[in-house]
């Protein structure tokens, strides 16, 4: 599937799938590139057994750059309702498209 695109999370909020072909080892390099492109300030890096998450801020809003072993992608996910309200604005800045269910 072409990236970047919007996707629905289990929470009901939307996230942006930034790109595919990302694995556990390539995540840091890819995440750094996206953090720079999106003007994100990385505040914390969390590595689990099967996922990697970078907590980030942009204009006072909190997001996660995330990867887990189930999907070979990196996504920008809102951490809270304030960030969820910004996700479409960010997606529009980078040309993300909406998928049809």
């Amino acid at each position: 599937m072409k990236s970047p695109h919007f996707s629905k999370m289990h929470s009901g909020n939307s996230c942006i799938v930034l790109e595919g072909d990302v694995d556990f080892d390539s995540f840091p390099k890819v995440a750094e590139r996206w953090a720079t492109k999106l003007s994100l300030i990385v505040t914390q890096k969390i590595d689990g057994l099967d996922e990697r998450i970078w907590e980030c801020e942009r204009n006072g809003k909190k997001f996660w750059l995330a990867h887990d072993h189930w999907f070979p992608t990196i996504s920008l996910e809102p951490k809270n309702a304030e960030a969820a309200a910004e996700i479409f604005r960010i997606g529009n800045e980078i040309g993300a498209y909406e998928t049809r269910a």
Side-chain angles (χ1 to χ4, degrees):
M1 181 171 279
K2 185 180 168 195
S3 297
H5 64 273
F6 295 103
S7 181
K8 211 49 127 171
M9 298 169 37
H10 291 298
S11 67
N13 288 326
S14 291
C15 69
I16 305 168
V17 177
L18 298 168
E19 71 179 79
D21 296 327
V22 177
D23 61 24
F24 194 84
D25 293 330
S26 66
F27 174 82
K29 184 177 179 179
V30 175
E32 188 64 45
R33 184 168 33 84
W34 278 107
T36 299
K37 182 173 184 164
L38 299 175
S39 300
L40 299 170
I41 299 167
V42 178
T43 57
Q44 186 175 12
K45 297 178 181 180
I46 304 162
D47 286 335
L49 293 175
D50 55 4
E51 66 182 337
R52 292 186 122 166
I53 297 171
W54 286 11
E55 187 173 282
C56 306
E57 290 186 17
R58 175 180 152 152
N59 298 328
K61 312 292 188 293
K62 296 184 181 210
F63 300 90
W64 291 299
L65 282 171
H67 166 77
D68 67 51
H69 76 280
W70 293 105
F71 302 101
T73 62
I74 183 171
S75 59
L76 181 67
E77 302 175 359
K79 185 174 178 182
N80 54 37
E82 279 187 321
E86 294 290 316
I87 207 76
F88 284 100
R89 183 184 336 265
I90 294 169
N92 288 335
E93 288 175 12
I94 60 172
Y97 68 94
E98 292 196 49
T99 58
R100 303 263 185 231

XYZ file of all heavy atoms in Angstrom:
815
model
N 0.841 -1.180 0.000
C 0.000 0.000 0.000
C 0.885 1.242 0.000
O 1.879 1.304 0.705
C -0.906 -0.027 1.234
C -1.830 1.154 1.304
S -3.061 1.001 2.611
C -4.220 -0.057 1.770
N 0.503 2.182 -0.787
C 1.266 3.427 -0.921
C 1.265 4.205 0.400
O 0.300 4.191 1.136
C 0.638 4.265 -2.033
C 1.398 5.518 -2.349
C 0.697 6.268 -3.464
C 1.282 7.653 -3.567
N 0.460 8.543 -4.341
N 2.336 4.899 0.676
C 2.450 5.716 1.883
C 2.805 7.126 1.476
O 3.303 7.344 0.401
C 3.543 5.153 2.788
O 3.204 3.871 3.217
N 2.610 8.109 2.294
C 1.898 8.026 3.571
C 0.387 8.017 3.363
O -0.124 8.548 2.382
C 2.341 9.291 4.303
C 2.734 10.248 3.239
C 3.205 9.427 2.072
N -0.302 7.381 4.327
C -1.759 7.352 4.272
C -2.327 7.305 5.695
O -1.646 6.907 6.628
C -2.258 6.169 3.437
C -1.921 4.838 4.014
N -0.729 4.204 3.757
C -2.603 4.022 4.846
C -0.686 3.048 4.397
N -1.821 2.912 5.068
N -3.564 7.760 5.805
C -4.252 7.724 7.085
C -4.752 6.311 7.348
O -5.113 5.586 6.418
C -5.446 8.687 7.096
C -5.047 10.131 6.981
C -5.182 10.809 5.786
C -4.533 10.821 8.076
C -4.826 12.143 5.675
C -4.164 12.152 7.968
C -4.314 12.814 6.771
N -4.777 5.943 8.620
C -5.288 4.640 9.021
C -6.024 4.815 10.346
O -5.687 5.703 11.135
C -4.126 3.656 9.173
O -4.600 2.378 9.530
N -7.015 3.986 10.602
C -7.783 4.041 11.833
C -7.122 3.151 12.872
O -6.771 2.008 12.600
C -9.188 3.551 11.545
C -10.310 4.130 12.336
C -10.343 5.599 12.441
C -11.675 6.150 12.030
N -11.811 7.551 12.323
N -6.943 3.674 14.076
C -6.377 2.914 15.188
C -7.508 2.244 15.977
O -8.671 2.605 15.831
C -5.579 3.857 16.102
C -4.413 4.516 15.395
S -3.604 5.866 16.312
C -3.636 5.355 17.983
N -7.176 1.292 16.825
C -8.183 0.630 17.656
C -8.886 1.616 18.580
O -10.030 1.401 18.964
C -7.563 -0.502 18.472
C -7.131 -1.662 17.634
N -8.001 -2.401 16.882
C -5.929 -2.208 17.414
C -7.350 -3.342 16.243
N -6.081 -3.252 16.547
N -8.229 2.703 18.921
C -8.820 3.721 19.788
C -9.930 4.501 19.078
O -10.687 5.216 19.717
C -7.743 4.709 20.240
O -7.276 5.468 19.132
N -9.971 4.377 17.753
C -10.916 5.158 16.966
C -10.283 6.393 16.356
O -10.833 7.005 15.450
N -9.124 6.788 16.879
C -8.386 7.918 16.313
C -7.700 7.497 15.020
O -7.466 6.314 14.787
C -7.319 8.421 17.290
C -7.911 9.134 18.471
O -8.925 9.810 18.363
N -7.283 8.977 19.627
N -7.359 8.471 14.229
C -6.587 8.211 13.012
C -5.107 8.399 13.288
O -4.712 9.183 14.159
C -7.017 9.163 11.893
O -8.314 8.852 11.466
N -4.295 7.658 12.555
C -2.846 7.837 12.573
C -2.407 7.972 11.120
O -3.209 7.831 10.201
C -2.146 6.672 13.259
S -2.197 5.106 12.363
N -1.125 8.248 10.922
C -0.572 8.312 9.571
C 0.466 7.208 9.432
O 1.445 7.175 10.192
C 0.106 9.670 9.295
C -0.853 10.827 9.555
C 0.634 9.703 7.860
C -0.159 12.186 9.583
N 0.255 6.300 8.511
C 1.274 5.320 8.165
C 2.242 6.050 7.249
O 1.885 6.435 6.139
C 0.672 4.074 7.492
C 1.778 3.109 7.079
C -0.335 3.407 8.415
N 3.448 6.280 7.741
C 4.405 7.116 7.022
C 5.106 6.380 5.887
O 5.291 6.932 4.805
C 5.426 7.689 8.000
C 4.825 8.590 9.085
C 5.852 8.878 10.169
C 4.296 9.873 8.466
N 5.511 5.142 6.141
C 6.138 4.343 5.080
C 6.219 2.893 5.495
O 6.118 2.560 6.679
C 7.511 4.880 4.679
C 8.620 4.693 5.663
C 9.946 5.253 5.151
O 10.137 6.474 5.215
O 10.783 4.453 4.694
N 6.391 2.043 4.498
C 6.495 0.612 4.718
C 7.932 0.141 4.634
O 8.863 0.936 4.539
N 8.096 -1.174 4.670
C 9.412 -1.824 4.617
C 10.316 -1.367 5.759
O 11.517 -1.158 5.568
C 10.096 -1.595 3.275
C 9.335 -2.237 2.134
O 8.718 -3.299 2.360
O 9.331 -1.677 1.021
N 9.743 -1.207 6.947
C 10.494 -0.826 8.137
C 10.504 -2.026 9.075
O 9.471 -2.645 9.316
C 9.838 0.389 8.840
C 10.580 0.743 10.122
C 9.785 1.577 7.904
N 11.678 -2.363 9.581
C 11.761 -3.435 10.563
C 12.383 -2.891 11.844
O 12.714 -1.707 11.942
C 12.529 -4.641 10.015
C 13.968 -4.343 9.640
O 14.560 -3.382 10.176
O 14.518 -5.085 8.803
N 12.527 -3.758 12.832
C 13.026 -3.352 14.142
C 14.375 -2.657 14.039
O 14.609 -1.641 14.687
C 13.123 -4.582 15.059
C 13.311 -4.257 16.504
C 12.224 -3.970 17.317
C 14.578 -4.255 17.067
C 12.393 -3.677 18.664
C 14.763 -3.963 18.407
C 13.669 -3.671 19.208
N 15.254 -3.191 13.204
C 16.605 -2.636 13.089
C 16.664 -1.339 12.286
O 17.478 -0.470 12.562
C 17.550 -3.666 12.461
C 17.759 -4.867 13.374
O 17.700 -4.700 14.611
O 17.971 -5.975 12.851
N 15.808 -1.191 11.284
C 15.854 0.021 10.464
C 15.050 1.175 11.075
O 15.198 2.323 10.656
C 15.341 -0.266 9.049
O 13.969 -0.600 9.055
N 14.222 0.882 12.084
C 13.361 1.910 12.662
C 14.104 3.172 13.101
O 13.659 4.273 12.763
C 12.557 1.334 13.837
C 11.760 2.370 14.570
C 10.525 2.778 14.099
C 12.250 2.958 15.722
C 9.788 3.747 14.766
C 11.526 3.929 16.393
C 10.297 4.322 15.916
N 15.212 3.098 13.850
C 15.834 4.343 14.323
C 16.221 5.309 13.202
O 15.972 6.516 13.304
C 17.070 3.869 15.101
C 16.724 2.494 15.533
C 15.898 1.927 14.401
N 16.798 4.805 12.151
C 17.209 5.665 11.036
C 15.993 6.282 10.346
O 15.976 7.476 10.046
C 18.043 4.860 10.040
C 18.596 5.674 8.903
C 19.471 4.818 8.007
C 20.004 5.640 6.855
N 20.862 4.846 5.979
N 14.973 5.474 10.113
C 13.759 5.958 9.460
C 13.030 6.951 10.371
O 12.568 8.000 9.927
C 12.836 4.776 9.067
C 11.523 5.256 8.502
C 13.546 3.851 8.086
N 12.951 6.639 11.663
C 12.277 7.520 12.621
C 12.990 8.872 12.716
O 12.342 9.920 12.793
C 12.203 6.857 13.991
N 14.295 8.859 12.693
C 15.057 10.115 12.747
C 14.753 10.982 11.532
O 14.562 12.195 11.651
C 16.555 9.819 12.830
C 17.399 11.042 13.072
C 17.128 11.703 14.416
O 17.031 10.984 15.423
O 17.003 12.953 14.449
N 14.681 10.360 10.366
C 14.369 11.102 9.140
C 12.977 11.723 9.226
O 12.787 12.885 8.893
C 14.496 10.177 7.931
C 14.279 10.865 6.606
C 14.674 10.017 5.410
N 14.487 8.597 5.521
C 13.322 7.964 5.284
N 12.262 8.636 4.935
N 13.254 6.657 5.390
N 11.981 10.948 9.691
C 10.622 11.469 9.805
C 10.513 12.520 10.907
O 9.783 13.504 10.758
C 9.616 10.337 10.024
C 9.243 9.690 8.728
C 9.634 8.463 8.278
C 8.422 10.248 7.697
N 9.109 8.225 7.024
C 8.353 9.307 6.658
C 7.741 11.455 7.554
C 7.624 9.530 5.484
C 7.013 11.689 6.391
C 6.962 10.730 5.379
N 11.211 12.334 12.005
C 11.186 13.341 13.079
C 11.688 14.676 12.551
O 11.101 15.732 12.831
C 12.017 12.872 14.270
N 12.743 14.639 11.759
C 13.277 15.869 11.170
C 12.282 16.470 10.182
O 11.981 17.660 10.240
C 14.621 15.581 10.476
O 15.548 15.096 11.455
C 15.176 16.827 9.817
N 11.752 15.640 9.285
C 10.827 16.121 8.257
C 9.573 16.740 8.869
O 9.051 17.733 8.364
C 10.441 14.976 7.324
C 9.528 15.395 6.202
C 9.302 14.271 5.218
C 8.462 14.780 4.054
N 8.505 13.895 2.916
N 9.081 16.171 9.970
C 7.847 16.630 10.590
C 8.072 17.638 11.723
O 7.125 18.023 12.402
C 7.050 15.430 11.113
C 6.606 14.417 10.062
C 5.948 13.220 10.726
C 5.683 15.065 9.048
N 9.313 18.041 11.925
C 9.666 18.986 12.999
C 9.221 18.478 14.367
O 8.662 19.218 15.177
C 9.063 20.370 12.731
O 9.538 20.879 11.510
N 9.483 17.199 14.615
C 9.149 16.587 15.899
C 10.345 16.656 16.837
O 11.484 16.444 16.407
C 8.760 15.118 15.713
C 7.550 14.833 14.829
C 7.452 13.340 14.547
C 6.277 15.342 15.485
N 10.086 16.926 18.087
C 11.117 16.877 19.117
C 10.966 15.542 19.836
O 9.919 15.275 20.453
C 10.981 18.043 20.108
C 11.145 19.370 19.376
C 11.978 17.905 21.254
C 10.734 20.574 20.190
N 11.963 14.687 19.748
C 11.912 13.376 20.389
C 12.213 13.561 21.874
O 13.260 14.090 22.244
C 12.914 12.401 19.737
C 12.892 11.059 20.447
C 12.618 12.242 18.251
N 11.285 13.112 22.723
C 11.438 13.281 24.166
C 11.773 11.988 24.883
O 12.286 12.012 25.997
C 10.155 13.874 24.787
O 9.050 13.022 24.484
C 9.899 15.274 24.234
N 11.464 10.848 24.257
C 11.763 9.561 24.886
C 11.785 8.476 23.822
O 10.988 8.502 22.877
C 10.705 9.232 25.939
C 11.012 7.999 26.747
C 9.989 7.787 27.866
O 8.941 8.423 27.906
N 10.296 6.892 28.773
N 12.686 7.505 23.989
C 12.768 6.360 23.084
C 12.542 5.099 23.901
O 13.219 4.878 24.907
C 14.140 6.297 22.407
C 14.407 7.502 21.519
C 15.793 7.444 20.910
C 16.058 8.671 20.035
N 17.410 8.626 19.446
N 11.566 4.290 23.467
C 11.195 3.088 24.205
C 11.328 1.887 23.278
O 10.727 1.858 22.203
C 9.743 3.190 24.716
C 9.578 4.447 25.573
C 9.350 1.934 25.490
C 8.154 4.883 25.766
N 12.111 0.908 23.702
C 12.261 -0.335 22.958
C 11.678 -1.476 23.769
O 12.074 -1.711 24.910
C 13.736 -0.645 22.683
C 14.327 0.244 21.618
O 13.582 0.760 20.780
O 15.560 0.416 21.623
N 10.724 -2.186 23.175
C 10.175 -3.392 23.775
C 10.678 -4.594 23.014
O 11.488 -4.472 22.096
N 10.179 -5.756 23.383
C 10.598 -6.969 22.689
C 10.123 -7.005 21.238
O 10.807 -7.545 20.381
C 10.065 -8.204 23.423
C 10.652 -8.447 24.806
C 9.945 -9.628 25.471
C 12.144 -8.695 24.706
N 8.944 -6.448 20.995
C 8.389 -6.522 19.646
C 7.882 -5.187 19.121
O 7.116 -5.134 18.170
C 7.267 -7.559 19.592
C 6.179 -7.302 20.631
O 6.256 -6.277 21.338
O 5.259 -8.128 20.730
N 8.288 -4.092 19.756
C 7.904 -2.778 19.258
C 8.930 -1.726 19.657
O 9.688 -1.906 20.602
C 6.517 -2.373 19.759
C 6.450 -2.151 21.248
C 5.046 -1.808 21.715
O 4.232 -1.324 20.915
O 4.774 -2.028 22.892
N 8.932 -0.645 18.888
C 9.767 0.517 19.186
C 8.869 1.737 19.088
O 8.107 1.883 18.137
C 10.917 0.649 18.191
C 11.932 -0.464 18.319
C 13.107 -0.235 17.444
N 14.272 -0.220 18.325
C 15.522 -0.303 17.907
N 15.792 -0.342 16.628
N 16.507 -0.290 18.758
N 8.977 2.616 20.067
C 8.165 3.829 20.103
C 9.054 4.995 20.486
O 9.814 4.914 21.455
C 7.026 3.701 21.130
C 6.075 2.574 20.740
C 6.263 5.019 21.274
C 5.060 2.228 21.797
N 8.960 6.060 19.716
C 9.588 7.324 20.103
C 8.478 8.298 20.450
O 7.606 8.575 19.628
C 10.427 7.885 18.962
C 11.721 7.172 18.727
C 12.134 5.988 19.261
C 12.768 7.602 17.869
N 13.371 5.656 18.775
C 13.784 6.639 17.922
C 12.931 8.703 17.054
C 14.969 6.748 17.201
C 14.105 8.820 16.320
C 15.120 7.853 16.405
N 8.498 8.777 21.677
C 7.550 9.802 22.079
C 8.074 11.137 21.576
O 9.260 11.445 21.724
C 7.423 9.818 23.596
C 6.335 10.724 24.093
C 6.117 10.582 25.583
O 5.479 9.597 25.998
O 6.604 11.466 26.316
N 7.193 11.926 20.963
C 7.601 13.170 20.317
C 6.614 14.285 20.629
O 5.464 14.035 20.987
C 7.636 12.992 18.798
S 8.633 11.630 18.217
N 7.090 15.507 20.443
C 6.223 16.674 20.569
C 6.369 17.557 19.346
O 7.437 17.625 18.739
C 6.587 17.488 21.808
C 6.239 16.828 23.105
C 6.485 17.712 24.308
O 6.623 18.947 24.154
O 6.556 17.161 25.421
N 5.271 18.224 19.024
C 5.261 19.216 17.949
C 4.225 20.263 18.330
O 3.050 19.928 18.525
C 4.905 18.569 16.616
C 4.756 19.567 15.483
C 4.417 18.871 14.200
N 3.656 19.757 13.347
C 3.650 19.697 12.041
N 4.344 18.775 11.411
N 2.927 20.532 11.344
N 4.673 21.487 18.462
C 3.780 22.591 18.836
C 2.976 22.275 20.100
O 1.793 22.563 20.181
C 2.833 22.945 17.687
C 3.572 23.411 16.462
O 4.635 24.024 16.558
N 3.040 23.110 15.301
N 3.628 21.647 21.065
C 2.985 21.334 22.333
C 2.093 20.103 22.322
O 1.540 19.726 23.344
N 1.936 19.458 21.167
C 1.109 18.253 21.044
C 2.021 17.031 21.113
O 3.145 17.054 20.636
C 0.336 18.236 19.727
C -0.402 19.515 19.377
C -1.544 19.788 20.300
C -2.413 20.943 19.861
N -1.825 22.257 19.878
N 1.511 15.934 21.686
C 2.323 14.732 21.888
C 1.900 13.609 20.942
O 0.707 13.314 20.799
C 2.221 14.272 23.333
C 2.794 15.315 24.271
C 2.799 14.848 25.689
C 3.362 15.978 26.544
N 4.045 15.506 27.693
N 2.902 12.998 20.337
C 2.706 11.931 19.361
C 3.674 10.785 19.651
O 4.626 10.938 20.408
C 2.999 12.437 17.943
C 2.139 13.579 17.514
C 2.533 14.893 17.743
C 0.934 13.358 16.878
C 1.741 15.959 17.352
C 0.131 14.414 16.478
C 0.536 15.718 16.712
N 3.428 9.666 19.003
C 4.369 8.550 18.977
C 4.757 8.267 17.535
O 3.902 8.209 16.653
C 3.748 7.271 19.537
C 3.479 7.263 20.993
C 4.385 7.401 22.013
C 2.215 7.071 21.629
N 3.751 7.318 23.224
C 2.420 7.111 23.021
C 0.923 6.864 21.153
C 1.395 6.960 23.936
C -0.106 6.709 22.062
C 0.142 6.756 23.434
N 6.039 8.078 17.285
C 6.515 7.412 16.075
C 6.621 5.953 16.484
O 7.304 5.643 17.472
C 7.876 7.948 15.636
C 7.865 9.284 14.910
C 9.293 9.796 14.732
C 7.170 9.168 13.565
N 5.928 5.064 15.788
C 5.800 3.697 16.287
C 6.033 2.643 15.207
O 5.739 2.856 14.031
C 4.402 3.511 16.883
N 6.544 1.507 15.665
C 6.720 0.315 14.832
C 6.502 -0.896 15.733
O 6.956 -0.914 16.873
C 8.132 0.259 14.240
C 8.459 -1.092 13.677
N 7.972 -1.520 12.459
C 9.182 -2.107 14.162
C 8.408 -2.746 12.235
N 9.143 -3.119 13.255
N 5.773 -1.885 15.224
C 5.715 -3.160 15.940
C 5.921 -4.290 14.950
O 5.860 -4.090 13.742
C 4.410 -3.321 16.743
C 3.171 -3.440 15.879
O 3.167 -4.276 14.956
O 2.205 -2.707 16.132
N 6.194 -5.467 15.482
C 6.568 -6.584 14.601
C 5.407 -7.106 13.752
O 5.629 -7.857 12.816
C 7.193 -7.716 15.418
C 6.200 -8.531 16.183
N 5.686 -8.105 17.382
C 5.621 -9.726 15.912
C 4.842 -9.005 17.826
N 4.778 -9.998 16.956
N 4.178 -6.715 14.024
C 3.035 -7.193 13.248
C 2.946 -6.543 11.874
O 2.436 -7.145 10.929
C 1.727 -6.943 14.003
C 1.615 -7.761 15.244
C 1.773 -7.315 16.533
C 1.377 -9.166 15.337
N 1.626 -8.355 17.399
C 1.389 -9.511 16.697
C 1.155 -10.164 14.398
C 1.177 -10.805 17.145
C 0.948 -11.460 14.853
C 0.956 -11.766 16.199
N 3.392 -5.296 11.775
C 3.295 -4.564 10.514
C 4.646 -3.938 10.192
O 5.239 -3.286 11.048
C 2.234 -3.446 10.608
C 0.877 -3.951 10.972
C 0.407 -3.826 12.264
C 0.074 -4.565 10.025
C -0.847 -4.295 12.624
C -1.188 -5.047 10.367
C -1.642 -4.909 11.675
N 5.152 -4.105 8.973
C 6.467 -3.563 8.610
C 6.390 -2.086 8.223
O 6.769 -1.694 7.130
C 6.881 -4.443 7.436
C 5.582 -4.764 6.759
C 4.582 -4.905 7.879
N 5.839 -1.262 9.125
C 5.640 0.149 8.835
C 6.117 1.011 9.997
O 6.394 0.518 11.088
C 4.142 0.470 8.602
O 3.419 0.174 9.805
C 3.572 -0.320 7.445
N 6.188 2.306 9.740
C 6.366 3.305 10.787
C 5.152 4.224 10.695
O 4.721 4.579 9.596
C 7.684 4.098 10.644
C 7.847 5.074 11.814
C 7.784 4.792 9.314
C 9.224 5.745 11.859
N 4.584 4.552 11.849
C 3.404 5.401 11.849
C 3.554 6.540 12.848
O 4.304 6.437 13.822
C 2.151 4.582 12.164
O 2.263 3.965 13.428
N 2.837 7.611 12.584
C 2.730 8.734 13.506
C 1.361 8.621 14.158
O 0.337 8.683 13.476
C 2.865 10.076 12.787
C 2.777 11.299 13.697
C 3.988 11.369 14.635
C 2.658 12.575 12.885
N 1.375 8.421 15.471
C 0.143 8.181 16.211
C -0.054 9.275 17.251
O 0.893 9.648 17.938
C 0.204 6.819 16.889
C 0.434 5.694 15.905
C 0.624 4.335 16.565
O 0.608 4.250 17.813
O 0.788 3.349 15.825
N -1.280 9.773 17.396
C -1.536 10.781 18.417
C -1.535 10.138 19.804
O -2.073 9.051 19.990
C -2.931 11.306 18.061
C -3.601 10.175 17.357
C -2.499 9.460 16.626
N -0.918 10.820 20.759
C -0.862 10.296 22.120
C -2.124 10.651 22.902
O -2.487 9.959 23.843
C 0.372 10.840 22.833
C 0.582 10.260 24.202
C 1.871 10.710 24.827
C 1.985 10.129 26.226
N 3.192 10.569 26.893
N -2.804 11.729 22.507
C -3.990 12.177 23.232
C -4.929 12.910 22.270
O -4.639 13.044 21.079
C -3.591 13.061 24.424
C -2.702 14.211 23.996
O -2.866 14.787 22.927
N -1.734 14.550 24.839
N -6.047 13.394 22.800
C -7.058 14.049 21.963
C -6.524 15.314 21.300
O -6.883 15.606 20.153
C -8.299 14.369 22.801
N -5.694 16.071 21.996
C -5.113 17.280 21.388
C -4.311 16.927 20.144
O -4.416 17.590 19.117
C -4.197 18.005 22.380
C -4.896 18.866 23.373
C -3.874 19.667 24.173
O -2.805 19.143 24.517
O -4.180 20.846 24.417
N -3.505 15.894 20.236
C -2.691 15.471 19.091
C -3.572 14.876 17.996
O -3.309 15.075 16.808
C -1.633 14.471 19.537
N -4.622 14.157 18.386
C -5.527 13.560 17.393
C -6.150 14.640 16.516
O -6.349 14.425 15.319
C -6.609 12.743 18.098
N -6.415 15.796 17.101
C -6.996 16.897 16.337
C -6.017 17.454 15.301
O -6.436 18.089 14.336
C -7.443 18.008 17.286
N -4.730 17.220 15.474
C -3.702 17.728 14.562
C -3.286 16.736 13.482
O -2.601 17.103 12.535
C -2.446 18.112 15.362
C -2.652 19.278 16.299
C -2.821 20.574 15.541
O -2.069 20.827 14.594
O -3.739 21.336 15.900
N -3.674 15.474 13.627
C -3.133 14.438 12.748
C -3.494 14.682 11.278
O -2.676 14.452 10.394
C -3.544 13.021 13.235
C -2.508 11.989 12.792
C -4.913 12.624 12.790
C -1.250 11.976 13.568
N -4.703 15.192 10.994
C -5.067 15.445 9.603
C -4.307 16.638 9.038
O -3.944 16.652 7.867
C -6.580 15.619 9.447
C -7.299 14.304 9.522
C -7.926 13.920 10.693
C -7.322 13.442 8.437
C -8.567 12.691 10.777
C -7.965 12.214 8.514
C -8.587 11.836 9.687
N -4.030 17.622 9.864
C -3.242 18.773 9.413
C -1.830 18.314 9.011
O -1.320 18.689 7.965
C -3.167 19.835 10.509
C -2.424 21.082 10.088
C -2.260 22.122 11.197
N -3.224 22.075 12.276
C -4.336 22.809 12.351
N -4.642 23.640 11.373
N -5.134 22.713 13.387
N -1.235 17.494 9.844
C 0.101 16.981 9.535
C 0.055 16.123 8.272
O 0.905 16.244 7.394
C 0.671 16.191 10.732
C 0.904 17.127 11.922
C 1.962 15.476 10.344
C 1.206 16.419 13.230
N -0.936 15.252 8.200
C -1.066 14.403 7.020
C -1.224 15.200 5.742
O -0.621 14.870 4.717
N -2.010 16.250 5.795
C -2.187 17.101 4.614
C -0.885 17.779 4.224
O -0.618 17.977 3.031
C -3.293 18.121 4.856
C -4.660 17.479 4.859
O -4.873 16.431 4.260
N -5.592 18.098 5.562
N -0.051 18.137 5.197
C 1.249 18.764 4.905
C 2.147 17.839 4.093
O 2.956 18.304 3.297
C 1.971 19.124 6.208
C 1.390 20.278 6.972
C 2.090 20.485 8.311
O 3.160 19.888 8.563
O 1.535 21.239 9.129
N 2.026 16.534 4.316
C 2.926 15.590 3.640
C 2.229 14.808 2.531
O 2.794 13.864 1.980
C 3.590 14.621 4.646
C 2.534 13.801 5.396
C 4.502 15.393 5.599
C 3.123 12.700 6.266
N 0.996 15.176 2.208
C 0.289 14.538 1.100
C -0.271 13.173 1.414
O -0.436 12.352 0.500
N -0.583 12.913 2.674
C -1.180 11.611 3.024
C -2.572 11.508 2.409
O -3.278 12.507 2.298
C -1.259 11.464 4.550
N -2.925 10.318 2.019
C -4.254 10.106 1.442
C -5.076 9.245 2.379
O -4.538 8.546 3.246
C -4.158 9.484 0.040
C -3.652 8.065 0.040
C -4.551 7.000 0.063
C -2.288 7.792 0.010
C -4.087 5.692 0.066
C -1.829 6.496 0.015
C -2.731 5.446 0.042
O -2.277 4.160 0.058
N -6.382 9.302 2.217
C -7.287 8.498 3.029
C -7.590 7.190 2.315
O -7.810 7.178 1.107
C -8.581 9.251 3.310
C -8.340 10.445 4.224
C -9.621 10.986 4.828
O -10.402 10.185 5.366
O -9.807 12.193 4.742
N -7.558 6.103 3.077
C -7.879 4.787 2.521
C -9.368 4.550 2.648
O -10.025 5.072 3.527
C -7.107 3.675 3.239
O -7.423 3.726 4.638
C -5.611 3.815 3.042
N -9.896 3.759 1.775
C -11.314 3.381 1.831
C -11.420 2.024 2.524
O -10.657 1.121 2.248
C -11.889 3.257 0.416
C -11.724 4.528 -0.380
C -12.992 5.325 -0.310
N -12.887 6.492 -1.173
C -13.158 7.697 -0.772
N -13.527 7.922 0.459
N -13.052 8.717 -1.602
N -12.387 1.902 3.406
C -12.576 0.630 4.137
C -13.287 -0.380 3.275
O -13.941 -0.104 2.345
C -13.360 0.881 5.400
